[in-house]
Structures are given as C-alpha cells and as structure tokens.
Amino acid sequence: VKATSPLTALSLSSHRLLSLGLCRALSKTPAALVLNQTQHCKQLEGLVSAQVQLCRSNLELMRTIVHAAREVMKACRRAFADMRWNCSSIELAPNYLLDLERGTRESAFVYALSAAAISHAIARACTSGDLPGCSCGPVPGEPPGPGNRWGGCADNLSYGLLMGAKFSDAPMKVKKTGSQANKLMRLHNSEVGRQALRASLEVKCKCHGVSGSCSIRTCWKGLQELRDVAADLKTRYLSATKVVHRPMGTRKHLVPKDLDIRPVKDSELVYLQSSPDFCMKNEKVGSHGTQDRQCNKTSNGSDSCDLMCCGRGYNPYTDRVVERCHCKYHWCCYVTCRKCERIVERYVCK
C-alpha cells in the first residue's frame, strides 16, 4: 500500500457511530490517529489479529469501514424511528447498555445490519475506484433482455461479501471471546445481513436514444440503498426466532426454543434472550425508556401516543415553523420565494 494515500484522521465522533457488530474496538481509537502506514494498524485498540492483518494489507479498507459505521447508525435510527427501541444505543459506543450487550433481537438486528453495511460499503467503494484491490463487478452471463445491453459499472458484491465477512466475523472466531452461544448467534445474524444484501442486488438501467426515446438501455447489477436493506432486516427482526444452544449429534447448535423439531432457517434472525418492553428507563435491563419521545396522536401504529408512551399519557406543545413558500421561477434562471410561518402541534410522552 502506498504511504501517499493516507486515511484521514478518524474523529472521535466517527468512532461513536461504530456499532458493536461492525467494529466496536475502533470507538476507542485516539482522535488524532492517521492511518497512512501499516504500523498504525497496531494503534487501533481492540482489533483481533485477523483484523489487524487485514488493515495492514489494505489501509484504504479502514476508510470504507468508518463510512459503513456512519451508515449503520443512520439506517438503524431511520428504520426504528417509530419504535420504542429506536437504536439510540449506538450513540453510546463503546459503553453499550444491555439492549446490545445481551443476545436480544435488537443486537441481532444490529449485527445483521452491520455485516450488510460493511459489505455494501466495500462493494460500492470498488465501483467508485476507492479501493485498489477491486474494480467493477463482473458482467452477468445471462442476456439483459430485449432492447437492453450490459454496460456501466456493476457493484462488486462478491468482493464486498468476501472482505466484509473477513473483517466483521473475525472477533466471533477468536476462542477466548464470549460464550459459544453468543458467537453462533452473532455469526448467524451477520450472515443473514449479508443474505439480505444479496437479495437487494437488482438490474439498473439508463436510457439512450434520440430525444429521450429510450431505444437502447444500458444495464448493470447494482445494490439497493442501505436503508432498503435495513427495512428488509427490520421485517426479519419483527419475526425473529428465539433460540437455545442444545446438543444435536456430536455438537451443540442453535435451535428454535419453542419449535426445536426444525433447524434454524438461514433467512431468519435469531436471539437468545427476550427484550424488555422499553417503556421505562432501566439500565440493568438495557432500556432507555420512552419519556420525552415524540409520538403521533393520529397514528394506530407503533409510533402512536398510546403505544409509544405505554399508556402514561403525553403532553402537547406547539412549534412555530418558518419555511419557504410561494416560490416562483424567473427566466432565466433563478427562483424567488417568500417566507411563511405555520404552527405545528407536537406530542411528547410523559
């Protein structure tokens, strides 16, 4: 790796965005650390040996990992904005509460999303030319369809999955860390995240032709946005299966607690411990509570004031919002707008 292509200093705020399933150890990294030489990889506190080796062989990969961590937090908070548990624990890195330390369905989701995010970021970085070890994904072998042709630069999903698994799964393969049940759960959920990423690969096309006639379309295989993968994983979170660690044959495996006549499905998220209801703040069980959370008075869903506030009631308040309005386009070429004020009523849990 060339010393002339440094990774910019990793800020402390960036580290706080790293979820436990992605690269928890980096949250302890000094704010001024710059990764432009292989010996700097040793200064990334908490990395296991396999991760340090990966860092040394590909310094640019660490920039991609930091980017993936930011995306994990944004996607997680967006996906759970309407739920009692809203993924806020990630902001506390590295001092997580028990909602992410225990083998709950919340930690199952975060591990899955983290694994998907790092592979997603690497696959996209290959496409944009940010990683020297990869380039565009392969051209598909099947025909693209009538009027279409393969072209463009496909997201390199295979490389993303390979390198992502090497990095994110490495801590779970160290013998001295954690219980075997937790390791198996985290490895399984990480693979579910990558499976969701595989399922997000789709054909994307761009039109060509006179006056937008779209007589020819250039197509390539591209990944959906991470928020779409997070939405898929949220659906799996809602139907996650509680498992136990039981002997099957000569080894112990994770099996469904209430349906142990069947094996765990490759597509389902699994968890070992039940979650609290997250209504009241209780650090002993990893609950932040929902006091002062905003709720939706007119909703019947999980963001409704009844469900979000757990029956405690809510307080109304008003906001004065100033926004642009009555905008007009002037030839050529600018827009003028007026400023309008409106009163917005909001509701906050007691």
Side-chain angles (χ1 to χ4, degrees):
V1 179
K2 295 181 180 179
T4 55
S5 56
L7 177 67
T8 54
L10 303 180
S11 67
L12 183 60
S13 61
S14 296
H15 298 153
R16 289 175 60 83
L17 304 183
L18 291 164
S19 73
L20 76 168
L22 182 57
C23 185
R24 170 180 181 165
L26 291 185
S27 60
K28 299 178 181 179
T29 304
L33 179 64
V34 176
L35 283 171
N36 60 3
Q37 297 179 31
T38 56
Q39 62 264 33
H40 290 165
C41 294
K42 288 184 178 180
Q43 299 176 44
L44 294 174
E45 185 179 340
L47 295 188
V48 299
S49 176
Q51 291 173 320
V52 173
Q53 292 301 321
L54 198 61
C55 173
R56 285 175 173 170
S57 62
N58 193 341
L59 288 175
E60 289 84 354
L61 191 67
M62 305 310 291
R63 182 199 300 273
T64 304
I65 289 170
V66 173
H67 171 72
R70 295 191 186 103
E71 294 304 307
V72 166
M73 180 182 170
K74 289 192 291 186
C76 191
R77 294 299 299 268
R78 186 186 295 112
F80 284 85
D82 62 344
M83 304 281 286
R84 290 176 185 170
W85 182 80
N86 65 347
C87 212
S88 59
S89 306
I90 291 180
E91 295 179 351
L92 301 176
N95 302 310
Y96 297 108
L97 297 185
L98 289 178
D99 59 333
L100 294 181
E101 290 284 7
R102 300 161 64 221
T104 60
R105 68 170 70 213
E106 288 72 36
S107 65
F109 174 84
V110 172
Y111 270 96
L113 181 60
S114 298
I118 188 171
S119 291
H120 185 278
I122 293 172
R124 287 278 179 89
C126 291
T127 305
S128 60
D130 292 334
L131 294 178
C134 61
S135 57
C136 302
V139 177
E142 71 273 13
N148 297 342
R149 66 185 181 191
W150 292 122
C153 185
D155 288 332
N156 198 332
L157 178 58
S158 59
Y159 188 84
L161 293 171
L162 174 66
M163 301 301 285
K166 280 185 178 182
F167 190 89
S168 58
D169 290 356
M172 279 84 83
K173 296 180 179 180
V174 177
K175 290 183 179 180
K176 295 181 180 179
T177 57
S179 70
Q180 185 65 14
N182 271 295
K183 287 180 185 178
L184 289 175
M185 172 195 152
R186 292 167 181 176
L187 284 169
H188 173 89
N189 290 325
S190 293
E191 185 55 38
V192 172
R194 288 187 286 268
Q195 184 196 82
L197 185 64
R198 290 187 193 96
S200 79
L201 191 67
E202 60 186 4
V203 176
K204 299 183 177 183
C205 298
K206 181 178 181 181
C207 281
H208 303 278
V210 180
S211 301
S213 64
C214 203
S215 56
I216 300 175
R217 298 200 310 167
T218 297
C219 303
W220 63 95
K221 292 285 186 77
L223 294 168
Q224 295 178 12
E225 297 304 315
L226 188 63
R227 62 176 175 268
D228 300 314
V229 179
D232 178 9
L233 291 173
K234 182 183 178 183
T235 300
R236 304 186 197 211
Y237 159 91
L238 294 170
S239 60
T241 300
K242 189 172 186 179
V243 294
V244 291
H245 197 210
R246 286 184 182 168
M248 288 183 66
T250 58
R251 301 177 62 185
K252 280 188 173 183
H253 296 267
L254 297 179
V255 295
K257 185 176 186 299
D258 300 321
L259 296 168
D260 57 4
I261 57 174
R262 70 163 176 85
V264 170
K265 296 178 182 178
D266 293 338
S267 59
E268 63 184 339
L269 291 177
V270 299
Y271 63 99
L272 293 163
Q273 298 188 46
S274 298
S275 304
D277 60 18
F278 297 108
C279 284
M280 303 299 293
K281 186 174 182 178
N282 185 343
E283 292 188 4
K284 290 183 179 179
V285 296
S287 175
H288 296 275
T290 62
Q291 184 178 357
D292 296 329
R293 285 282 302 280
Q294 189 169 308
C295 61
N296 187 340
K297 186 181 178 181
T298 61
S299 171
N300 293 318
S302 57
D303 63 338
S304 69
C305 288
D306 185 43
L307 289 177
M308 183 67 73
C309 304
C310 306
R312 299 189 306 269
Y314 54 89
N315 294 317
Y317 71 96
T318 56
D319 271 348
R320 177 175 279 103
V321 178
V322 179
E323 54 192 9
R324 301 200 319 167
C325 60
H326 305 299
C327 296
K328 292 183 179 180
Y329 174 76
H330 299 269
W331 183 265
C332 173
C333 302
Y334 64 96
V335 176
T336 58
C337 299
R338 296 172 60 187
K339 288 185 178 180
C340 297
E341 285 190 2
R342 63 186 179 96
I343 302 299
V344 178
E345 194 167 46
R346 305 188 193 277
Y347 306 91
V348 171
C349 294
K350 291 183 179 179

